[in-house]
């Protein structure tokens, strides 16, 4: 099993230094999305005291030419703090800071989708949109081979692994447990976890989160997963189809509701939203993975609990549909629906914004509308 050289360094030696007092100083780790729209970057600065609000955190900058975000001749990019969490690696009073990225002219970087998402969320805040996202991922060795799989072959076929227990069924649970506790400490709204259908594939759920919080909390949860995996010397992959063939892909099913949908008679509002989604399928497919649908084409085949990427479908308790209405929602006539199309490597800002535009702002057509 290929694990990183860094993971073999002595953690006991490191702990001697981590136990040293830091005085009144605070380490703030600034985190941002790089030019790929999938990768995360981070760097740390010292603050004189513990920040209590986001306004107390200073702006910062970085070299965008090294993150696929600018040219070397004009490479300074700005980091604008937007959300703050506790740091589970350095512990209190240290912080994790999720940032917007602005270009030299103070306009959002191409992969900074948060700013527009926030604008759209603010337009519908009186509707109280709630989201819950189910993040699937695969644990890999540093050689790209799934964790625990035979080095020159495959494990037994799918069947015993989903929510499985036992050394021959659950591959890498230590990573999952460490990540769960790190999220709880940080203040991420993680609400559950389970082993998935393919061995070495897992899922965690974040939510319910209102508005922009969904994207903020999922990106920090992903960052924490990458950092936990770094400590264990393995890699977390959000590739929507890491292993070709008769193995499940990885998605990021997105649960959505508004105040009207959660109240008595809400099923009518859910059905109206699904009707709007049916007329805008290709727009959503483009928004639901960072390559405009190309990544999802490998996953949304109509097999392995997915819908066909070229067709829109909806149904009660149907895991082969684009949109699933949970059976309990059909019975209670209120609640939420699940969009099963987003890929594991989607940008949650893009996904949640697209849902609001279509379901609440009643947009139509293949392009998003522009608002003043």
């Amino acid at each position: 099993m290929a694990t990183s050289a860094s993971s073999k360094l002595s953690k006991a030696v490191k702990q001697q230094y981590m136990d040293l007092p830091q005085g009144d100083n605070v380490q703030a780790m600034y985190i941002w999305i790089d030019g790929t729209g999938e990768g995360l970057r981070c760097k740390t600065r010292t603050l004189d005291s513990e920040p209590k609000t986001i306004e107390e955190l200073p702006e910062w900058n970085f070299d965008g030419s090294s993150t696929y975000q600018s040219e070397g001749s004009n490479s300074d990019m700005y980091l604008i703090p937007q959300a703050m969490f506790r740091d589970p690696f350095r512990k209190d009073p240290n912080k994790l800071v999720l940032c917007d990225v602005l270009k030299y002219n103070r306009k959002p970087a191409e992969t900074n989708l948060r700013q527009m998402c926030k604008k759209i969320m603010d337009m519908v805040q009186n509707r109280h949109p709630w989201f819950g996202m189910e993040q699937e991922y695969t644990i890999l060795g540093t050689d790209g081979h799934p964790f625990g799989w035979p080095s020159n072959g495959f494990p037994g076929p799918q069947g015993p692994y989903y929510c499985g227990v036992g050394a021959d069924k659950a591959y890498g649970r230590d990573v999952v447990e460490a990540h769960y506790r790190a999220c709880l400490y940080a203040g991420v709204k993680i609400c559950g976890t389970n082993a998935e259908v393919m061995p070495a594939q897992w899922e965690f759920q974040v939510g319910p989160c209102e508005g922009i919080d969904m994207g903020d909390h999922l990106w920090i949860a992903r960052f924490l997963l990458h950092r936990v995996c770094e400590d264990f010397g393995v890699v977390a992959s959000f590739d929507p189809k890491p292993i070709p063939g008769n193995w499940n892909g990885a998605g990021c099913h997105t649960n959505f509701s508004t105040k009207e949908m959660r109240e008595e008679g809400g099923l009518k509002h859910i059905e109206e939203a699904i009707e709007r989604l049916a007329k805008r399928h290709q727009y959503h497919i483009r928004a639901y993975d960072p390559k405009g649908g190309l990544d999802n084409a490998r996953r949304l085949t109509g097999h392995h609990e997915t819908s066909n990427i070229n067709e829109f479908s909806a149904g009660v308790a149907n895991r082969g549909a684009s949109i699933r209405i949970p059976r309990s929602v059909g019975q209670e006539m209120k609640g939420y629906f699940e969009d099963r199309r987003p890929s594991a490597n989607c940008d949650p800002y893009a996904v949640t914004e697209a849902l609001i535009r279509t379901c609440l702002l009643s947009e139509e057509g293949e392009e998003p509308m522009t608002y003043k």
Side-chain angles (χ1 to χ4, degrees):
M1 185 69 229
T3 55
S4 69
S6 298
S7 67
K8 298 176 177 67
L9 294 170
S10 171
K11 304 301 179 193
V13 171
K14 176 193 169 191
Q15 196 55 43
Q16 291 181 55
Y17 300 99
M18 298 306 288
D19 288 340
L20 293 172
Q22 60 187 73
D24 293 331
N25 293 322
V26 170
Q27 289 171 280
M29 181 175 278
Y30 282 42
I31 300 161
W32 71 97
I33 301 160
D34 71 15
T36 66
E38 299 180 60
L40 288 161
R41 307 291 178 116
C42 64
K43 62 177 188 168
T44 301
R45 68 184 296 163
T46 304
L47 305 177
D48 295 334
S49 60
E50 181 179 359
K52 302 297 184 188
T53 65
I54 205 77
E55 290 74 28
E56 295 175 37
L57 291 160
E59 288 187 14
W60 207 6
N61 56 57
F62 69 96
D63 167 20
S65 69
S66 300
T67 62
Y68 317 116
Q69 287 171 297
S70 70
E71 298 174 2
S73 59
N74 189 9
S75 67
D76 275 9
M77 311 279 286
Y78 298 103
L79 291 173
I80 314 298
Q82 294 293 357
M84 183 167 62
F85 297 81
R86 296 168 72 197
D87 186 337
F89 306 104
R90 295 165 172 157
K91 303 198 177 74
D92 289 339
N94 303 299
K95 303 298 181 189
L96 303 177
V97 182
L98 183 64
C99 298
D100 263 345
V101 177
L102 302 185
K103 295 189 283 193
Y104 69 93
N105 56 6
R106 309 287 294 185
K107 288 189 163 55
E110 282 73 12
T111 53
N112 173 15
L113 306 186
R114 187 187 190 280
Q115 199 166 74
M116 179 54 71
C117 181
K118 177 77 165 67
K119 179 180 178 179
I120 296 297
M121 292 299 171
D122 287 347
M123 291 172 65
V124 297
Q125 61 185 29
N126 62 330
R127 310 279 294 273
H128 299 286
W130 287 5
F131 302 92
M133 297 184 81
E134 307 169 21
Q135 178 68 70
E136 294 180 333
Y137 63 96
T138 310
I139 302 175
L140 308 175
T142 51
D143 58 358
H145 196 65
F147 180 82
W149 284 35
S151 57
N152 56 355
F154 297 92
Q158 296 183 153
Y161 308 108
Y162 173 72
C163 298
V165 180
D168 58 342
K169 299 181 185 68
Y171 298 16
R173 193 185 296 274
D174 281 0
V175 170
V176 177
E177 293 295 337
H179 173 251
Y180 203 148
R181 193 60 61 91
C183 283
L184 291 173
Y185 183 95
V188 170
K189 290 183 179 175
I190 188 169
C191 61
T193 188
N194 59 271
E196 266 304 328
V197 176
M198 187 179 86
Q201 190 184 67
W202 295 80
E203 173 183 300
F204 64 87
Q205 302 93 28
V206 175
C209 295
E210 186 162 326
I212 198 68
D213 283 353
M214 185 67 254
D216 292 349
H217 282 247
L218 190 65
W219 273 116
I220 290 295
R222 287 174 174 177
F223 172 82
L224 294 174
L225 180 62
H226 286 308
R227 269 292 284 108
V228 166
C229 284
E230 185 184 317
D231 284 348
F232 283 105
V234 295
V235 176
S237 170
F238 297 118
D239 189 291
K241 189 72 174 179
I243 308 297
N246 198 23
W247 302 96
N248 271 38
C252 194
H253 301 155
T254 301
N255 301 281
F256 172 60
S257 70
T258 60
K259 187 169 183 286
E260 306 99 86
M261 294 178 192
R262 297 187 292 271
E263 291 173 345
E264 292 302 321
L267 187 61
K268 177 170 73 78
H269 298 285
I270 291 172
E271 289 170 344
E272 287 171 359
I274 292 172
E275 281 178 32
R276 294 193 186 105
L277 289 168
K279 297 172 185 168
R280 221 178 183 210
H281 180 59
Q282 289 307 319
Y283 164 74
H284 283 264
I285 289 297
R286 288 205 312 278
Y288 283 3
D289 81 47
K291 296 185 179 66
L294 293 177
D295 275 347
N296 241 341
R298 294 183 284 126
R299 166 182 161 257
L300 294 179
T301 60
H303 304 290
H304 305 109
E305 299 180 50
T306 69
S307 57
N308 187 304
I309 193 168
N310 298 311
E311 299 168 3
F312 181 88
S313 56
V316 175
N318 182 0
R319 282 179 161 74
S322 309
I323 305 290
R324 179 180 72 93
I325 299 175
R327 191 171 301 285
S328 61
V329 173
Q331 291 168 344
E332 295 173 17
M333 308 289 282
K334 63 179 180 179
Y336 67 98
F337 66 85
E338 175 191 50
D339 193 333
R340 298 177 62 81
R341 295 172 294 177
S343 67
N345 61 346
C346 69
D347 188 324
Y349 297 129
V351 172
T352 55
E353 179 191 322
L355 283 166
I356 296 297
R357 283 178 176 275
T358 302
C359 298
L360 301 192
L361 298 179
S362 303
E363 289 187 18
E364 296 177 350
E366 293 304 306
E367 297 300 326
M369 284 179 63
T370 303
Y371 300 94
K372 288 183 180 177

